[in-house]
Amino acid sequence: MSMNNVGRPTRPEAAANDGSTGHETLTGGRGLLQDEALIFELDCWNKTGVDLPPAGPPSDDLAGLLRDAPIGLPGLSEPEAVRHYVRLSQKNHAIDLALYPLGSCTMKHNPRLNEKMARLPGFSDIHPLQPQSTVQGALQLMDRLAHWLKTLTGMPAVALSPKAGAHGELCGLLAIRAAHEAAGNGHRKTVLAPTSAHGTNPATAAFVGYTVVEIAQTDDGRVDLADLESKLGDHVAAIMVTNPNTCGLFERDVVEIARLTHAAGAYFYCDGANFNAIVGRVRPGDLGVDAMHINLHKTFSTPHGGGGPGAGPVVLSQALAPFAPTPWLVHDDDGFSMVEHAGEEGAKTAFGRMSAFHGQMGMYVRAYAYMLSHGADGLRQVAEDAVLNANYIKARLKDVMSPAFPDGPCMHEALFDDAWLEGTGVTTLDFAKAMIDEGFHPMTMYFPLVVHGAMLIEPTETESKQELDRFIEALRALAGAAQNLKGGAGETERFKGAPFHAPLRRLDETLAARKPRLRWKPVATAPLAAE
Ligand SMILES: *Cc1c(COP(=O)(O)O)cnc(C)c1O
């Protein structure tokens, strides 16, 4: 029987639980969670949640685009629709349920104060097409947020409108391309990125029309300076480097990387997704960075991973500031206003806009609330605690799992390889699936690509020592079970068959990624025809 940490048996069923699947249920439901069909399969054509007045005659200004078949929306009553989505949400993991250790993703707690601020009518009940004189408070908040982002990064300009980290990368590279073209350097068509780069880096560069060349990595997980130098030249437009990098390590030579890059006439794009590890301690502007996106949904605690839209403002150096996208804010005697068009107010060759309006207002409010509630010293402590928590995990697991870079401390995430699983028959994937059965969401797997069978754990600063200890104990128990398999003892099924206790068992993730089935086709269309 298992006891909790105060010696109380909280799981009387534990003795009987041998880890097997137990009996199958008759309905596919499981412990108050019903099996859930697709919303279209729940559909009943003659049911509706709201009564709408009959539609008037169709307007004919749609140039032949008028729909002539029924739209085919599923018919559900309001409680059925509510239950459908609540049931689906119960099958998902969420940061409000437990630690969410996805490395590189910075799944930190979303403070409730942020939510309260974002729901203030002055922020939530406004529209981007309202006259600017009626939304001065919202514009002022954007201006204050921009001020904090510039101050924290030591950069002179910021484009707020990109809507995700990857969108920010696109914005930064488009500014870099515009700057090169304005200087008659349009022939620079190569972007350099380390082998450990996040997939969005080469994808963004390719999307902008650049050829991507990899920079090698040293044995201690950093950019290989000699290799970088050999690949720089008159053909290089920019380098894209993440710092701290995706191995969870600070690029110690970052100032030299910037110097070499600038000497070759190229720009330094920094992937700022890991800013959480250094906010308040290091200003990227001091390191020679020309452009960097900031994931408000990572460092500044706005929801993501199904919880809300991202926001990826990009800070720009003096050299790139004139190439920022529209819109941006200006302030004069009449208050705040937004510059909407290239050519106004000193924009050189602005490439246009990154989004239809000004970006994610709700996320600006949340991020700014987070900044004000922490203050400058609090934000510095965010970085320090994030790094402390990751090092605690690394220290407490290094005797049972193998850190990819054992020497020295890590930054905000602890990276392990799969060397410690050798001879057990268990893979990184099996281990991750077994974690689900134990109630823990897996860490990031098989990324970065440079580390074999990588397991990247990012606890963030919002986890307490107690939460970290529970997570660590679960991983230690599982690691022990895996080690037992070496001698041929123990149950392989615990890993190979996992997950047993999740709503769905092991899925063919490759097939799902390669051949996603994104469309639902009705089995029988008779009810629609009768309409
Ligand atoms: C999250 C992340 C990105 C992409 O950010 P999105 O907001 O998901 O588009 C890019 N690089 C790194 C290192 C990341 O962790």
Side-chain angles (χ1 to χ4, degrees):
M1 187 178 291
S2 80
M3 305 285 186
N4 73 9
N5 56 8
V6 292
R8 186 161 49 85
T10 51
R11 290 168 47 206
E13 84 287 7
N17 181 357
D18 61 359
S20 69
T21 48
H23 67 93
E24 295 297 326
T25 62
L26 301 173
T27 57
R30 203 182 255 261
L32 286 183
L33 276 185
Q34 290 182 17
D35 196 26
E36 191 64 6
L38 295 176
I39 195 164
F40 293 98
E41 293 163 348
L42 299 174
D43 170 35
C44 186
W45 67 274
N46 59 358
K47 205 171 6 176
T48 173
V50 275
D51 288 324
L52 295 173
S59 96
D60 61 359
D61 55 3
L62 288 172
L65 293 173
L66 207 60
R67 174 184 293 279
D68 51 18
I71 192 166
L73 289 178
L76 277 79
S77 70
E78 182 175 304
E80 284 172 325
V82 169
R83 282 181 185 159
H84 175 69
Y85 287 107
V86 171
R87 283 181 193 149
L88 288 186
S89 77
Q90 289 179 326
K91 295 185 178 169
N92 267 325
H93 191 66
I95 190 65
D96 290 346
L97 280 173
L99 181 145
Y100 208 152
L102 283 179
S104 215
C105 296
T106 313
M107 307 300 294
K108 65 166 78 174
H109 171 64
N110 313 133
R112 292 303 180 265
L113 180 63
N114 298 358
E115 299 303 319
K116 189 172 178 187
M117 296 300 112
R119 283 164 178 71
L120 291 174
F123 297 127
S124 63
D125 293 351
I126 55 178
H127 192 278
L129 291 178
Q130 247 172 272
Q132 293 188 8
S133 60
T134 65
V135 289
Q136 285 294 303
L139 295 181
Q140 185 177 5
L141 182 136
M142 288 170 66
D143 186 63
R144 298 310 300 162
L145 175 70
H147 172 76
W148 273 74
L149 292 174
K150 289 185 287 188
T151 306
L152 289 167
T153 55
M155 304 281 278
V158 61
L160 289 178
S161 60
K163 294 191 171 178
H167 203 211
E169 291 172 31
L170 179 63
C171 175
L173 285 200
L174 288 174
I176 287 171
R177 189 177 73 181
H180 278 311
E181 280 170 0
N185 284 327
H187 63 278
R188 290 176 178 264
K189 290 274 184 229
T190 299
V191 164
L192 305 180
T195 327
S196 61
H198 192 269
T200 50
N201 293 184
T204 303
F207 190 69
V208 177
Y210 289 125
T211 305
V212 182
V213 174
E214 281 189 11
I215 318 168
Q217 180 172 309
T218 59
D219 289 342
D220 70 349
R222 270 94 175 177
V223 166
D224 184 328
L225 278 190
D227 191 61
L228 168 67
E229 210 168 351
S230 73
K231 286 173 179 162
L232 280 167
D234 189 42
H235 59 295
V236 176
I239 62 161
M240 296 182 90
V241 171
T242 312
N243 196 22
N245 67 26
T246 59
C247 297
L249 302 168
F250 194 78
E251 292 286 353
R252 286 182 300 249
D253 295 321
V254 61
V255 172
E256 182 62 4
I257 291 172
R259 195 190 64 77
L260 292 171
T261 302
H262 293 148
Y267 288 103
F268 180 178
Y269 186 90
C270 180
D271 179 331
N274 293 339
F275 193 47
N276 196 51
I278 58 172
V279 61
R281 288 194 62 106
V282 178
R283 300 190 310 168
D286 298 339
L287 307 178
V289 167
D290 291 298
M292 182 180 95
H293 71 261
I294 300 160
N295 309 56
L296 297 186
H297 48 290
K298 293 182 180 172
T299 306
F300 296 105
S301 81
T302 72
H304 61 143
V314 178
V315 285
L316 299 167
S317 65
Q318 209 68 61
L320 291 181
F323 302 94
T326 47
W328 62 80
L329 280 168
V330 289
H331 185 244
D332 60 22
D333 293 345
D334 295 332
F336 291 95
S337 56
M338 253 188 291
V339 177
E340 300 273 1
H341 302 289
E344 289 173 26
E345 310 264 355
K348 279 200 185 156
T349 55
F351 52 75
R353 323 174 63 94
M354 293 302 297
S355 63
F357 295 113
H358 50 274
Q360 308 286 30
M361 188 67 211
M363 298 304 140
Y364 299 160
V365 181
R366 287 172 176 84
Y368 188 55
Y370 181 77
M371 290 169 173
L372 289 191
S373 58
H374 281 70
D377 54 342
L379 288 177
R380 182 187 171 101
Q381 195 184 339
V382 160
E384 291 169 350
D385 290 352
V387 171
L388 180 65
N389 279 0
N391 278 285
Y392 181 64
I393 287 182
K394 182 179 178 185
R396 286 213 53 206
L397 290 175
K398 69 176 183 214
D399 60 327
V400 292
M401 294 165 65
S402 44
F405 301 98
D407 298 336
C410 57
M411 294 295 290
H412 60 308
E413 42 200 5
L415 178 58
F416 298 88
D417 59 25
D418 61 358
W420 65 282
L421 284 172
E422 220 176 295
T424 63
V426 174
T427 63
T428 292
L429 182 74
D430 300 330
F431 188 76
K433 298 297 179 195
M435 283 173 68
I436 296 176
D437 282 340
E438 300 298 333
F440 288 94
H441 192 284
M443 64 289 266
T444 290
M445 299 177 282
Y446 300 104
F447 174 80
L449 303 178
V450 286
V451 167
H452 200 270
M455 298 175 218
L456 184 62
I457 303 175
E458 180 178 4
T460 83
E461 71 286 353
T462 57
E463 299 305 328
S464 66
K465 178 167 180 297
Q466 286 70 22
E467 288 284 337
L468 294 180
D469 283 335
R470 280 178 55 168
F471 175 70
I472 289 164
E473 291 311 333
L475 260 64
R476 290 188 70 88
L478 273 180
Q483 288 304 322
N484 281 343
L485 299 174
K486 267 189 188 160
E491 335 121 58
T492 318
E493 260 317 276
R494 178 187 296 285
F495 296 98
K496 290 290 167 199
F500 292 103
H501 300 292
L504 293 176
R505 300 289 304 280
R506 198 177 292 204
L507 307 172
D508 188 338
E509 288 168 15
T510 313
L511 188 68
R514 298 285 166 198
K515 290 193 180 157
R517 283 170 57 184
L518 301 174
R519 294 198 64 154
W520 180 83
K521 294 205 187 76
V523 187
T525 51
L528 284 179
E531 199 171 359

